Amino acid sequence: MNISHANAAAGVDWFVCGWRRFKENWTFWLVMIVVMMAVLLVLSLVPLLGAVAAGFLGLVMLGGVFRAARTEEEGGSVQVGILFWAFQDQEKLRPLLILGLLQMLSQMLIGAMAVALVGSRLSQVATLGQIGSPGFPAAAMDFSQLFSPGLLLGFLMVVALGTLVSMAFVFAVPLVVLDGQRPVDALKLSLAGCWQNLGALAVFGLIYILATVVAAIPFGLGLLILLPVTLLALYCAYQDLYRR
C-alpha cells in the first residue's frame, strides 16, 4: 500500500474535514459518542477485568466508528448499532481483538520500562530524602539526582517508546476494518504513515491539545463534540494518507 505525503497544513485540513462531516449529521455522531463513553464507563467500574474488557471493546467500537464514517461517505444510512458491527463479522472482529491484545502488551511494556528506567532512580532519591530526615545528616540529601543524566535519559526513552507505540496505533484500526490489513501489517503501515508525515501530525496534535483545553472549560461538555470531530478528522487523515 502506498502512503501519501502531506504538508504540515494538512493537519488543519483534517480537522476542518472532521468538523464539516460532524455538522452534516451531528445528532448521530453525538449520540454515538455518548453511547460509546457510557459503555466504557460502565465496564471500567467492574472490578479487575472491567478495565481489560473496556480496552478490547473500545477498539471494537472504534472500528464501528470508522465503518460508520465510510458508510456515510458512500451515501449509506447509519445507526448507532454500527458501533458493534464487528461482532457480526468475525473476519474483522478477530484482528481487532488481536490489536487490543497487542495494545495491552505494549502498555505493559512501557509501564515496565518506566519502572525500570525511571522508577528505580526516583526510589533512590526518596531513600536519600529519608536519610536526610531528623537523625540523619542533611548533607546526605542530593535532589540534583532528579535531573541526573541517567534519569533524564530513562525518561526520554520511555517517552520515545510511548510515542512510537501511539503512532503505530493511530491508523491501525481503520487499516484493519476498512482495508482488511492484518494487525501487524496495520501497525507497520500506521507507524510508517505517521513517520512520513510528522509535520502534519504535529500540527494535528497541537490543534487537538488546544481544542481540548477549550472544550474542557464548560464542565467538559465540549468534549462531547471534540471527540467525534477528532475521530472524523482521523478518518479524513486516513483517507488522505492511504486512499489518495
Side-chain angles (χ1 to χ4, degrees), residues 189-242:
L189 284 169
S190 178
L191 179 59
C194 291
W195 188 261
Q196 295 177 28
N197 294 277
L198 287 177
L201 287 172
V203 172
F204 185 92
L206 180 59
I207 295 174
Y208 175 74
I209 292 173
L210 295 175
T212 300
V213 173
V214 175
I217 292 176
F219 305 102
L221 295 177
L223 296 175
L224 294 177
I225 296 177
L226 178 60
L227 290 177
V229 170
T230 301
L231 291 176
L232 288 168
L234 283 174
Y235 175 78
C236 294
Y238 153 78
Q239 289 284 90
D240 192 23
L241 299 182
Y242 297 94

Side-chain angles (χ1 to χ4, degrees), residues 3-133:
I3 301 174
S4 301
H5 176 74
N7 57 38
V12 178
D13 296 336
W14 296 337
F15 258 105
V16 172
C17 174
W19 172 248
R20 184 177 64 251
R21 297 201 58 168
F22 172 77
K23 289 195 303 179
E24 291 174 355
N25 194 5
W26 66 271
T27 52
F28 165 75
W29 290 108
L30 196 58
V31 171
M32 172 177 271
I33 205 66
V34 169
V35 171
M36 186 175 180
M37 293 174 64
V39 170
L40 294 178
L41 177 61
V42 171
L43 280 177
S44 67
L45 297 177
V46 178
L48 298 179
L49 296 179
V52 176
F56 283 94
L57 186 57
L59 281 183
V60 172
M61 291 192 293
L62 192 58
V65 170
F66 288 113
R67 180 66 180 179
R70 171 63 62 81
T71 300
E72 271 198 341
E73 187 176 49
E74 293 176 345
S77 60
V78 289
Q79 297 179 348
V80 176
I82 200 172
L83 264 178
F84 309 100
W85 157 82
F87 286 107
Q88 303 174 6
D89 189 340
Q90 294 299 314
E91 292 185 359
K92 301 300 183 184
L93 180 61
R94 282 193 296 269
L96 284 174
L97 293 178
I98 292 174
L99 272 183
L101 177 61
L102 293 174
Q103 185 180 59
M104 182 178 66
L105 293 176
S106 64
Q107 291 171 346
M108 293 173 61
L109 174 62
I110 294 172
M113 186 175 177
V115 172
L117 296 178
V118 180
S120 60
R121 181 72 64 168
L122 290 176
S123 65
Q124 292 176 7
V125 175
T127 301
L128 288 177
Q130 293 176 359
I131 294 175
S133 61

